[in-house]
Amino acid sequence: MTYAEVNTENQLIASNLILRYLADDRQSVWTIHEACVSARTMANRTNVPPDALTKRYLIEHPDRGFSFSVRAVWRCGTLMQPTATHVAFEQYWDNSDTLGGPDGARLAVNEWLRSLPL
């Protein structure tokens, strides 16, 4: 699988993860399958309606040694469409120095995302 294919798969699965587990806007910290997820509201980017809400999620998995951040735009209680535009990975981190840097973290994230019951 190429990095472009991994990125596409990660984005699709992350959209489902966010909808299934992170829709409760009263909460800002979750534990999802041994990963800590924290959410922070951020300023909307251009071309996003003023009634939309943009959140940045930081997902940290200490046992697997990775972290990543993903941005999602919410509107009318669901993710804004198209999710390919409004759900975006921002960065990957190799916290263990054993994954081979950000590209190795991207693959570890993909493996973890694919293991989730969505």
Side-chain angles (χ1 to χ4, degrees):
M1 189 180 297
T2 68
Y3 284 123
E5 291 169 329
V6 170
N7 287 339
T8 300
E9 187 173 53
N10 284 357
Q11 191 275 334
L12 290 170
I13 298 171
S15 296
N16 290 331
L17 166 86
I18 291 167
L19 275 172
R20 178 163 181 177
Y21 293 102
L22 309 176
D24 184 355
D25 64 354
R26 297 167 297 175
Q27 203 169 332
S28 63
V29 178
W30 300 260
T31 300
I32 300 171
H33 297 276
E34 301 174 4
C36 177
V37 180
S38 56
R40 175 187 237 170
T41 302
M42 56 186 287
N44 287 339
R45 298 176 65 191
T46 57
N47 298 323
V48 172
D51 65 337
L53 177 68
T54 302
K55 290 203 171 190
R56 174 177 288 134
Y57 298 96
L58 176 63
I59 295 95
E60 301 171 279
H61 201 303
D63 293 340
R64 294 192 182 206
F66 65 74
S67 298
F68 64 96
S69 62
V70 62
R71 171 185 37 84
V73 180
W74 290 88
R75 186 166 190 234
C76 299
T78 192
L79 291 176
M80 191 167 157
Q81 298 297 316
T83 57
T85 300
H86 298 293
V87 176
F89 276 76
E90 296 180 317
Q91 194 165 356
Y92 295 90
W93 294 276
D94 174 358
N95 300 330
S96 65
D97 294 327
T98 62
L99 299 175
D103 287 335
R106 175 190 337 261
L107 295 173
V109 166
N110 180 261
E111 182 180 306
W112 177 73
L113 287 170
R114 291 173 58 209
S115 75
L116 298 176
L118 301 173

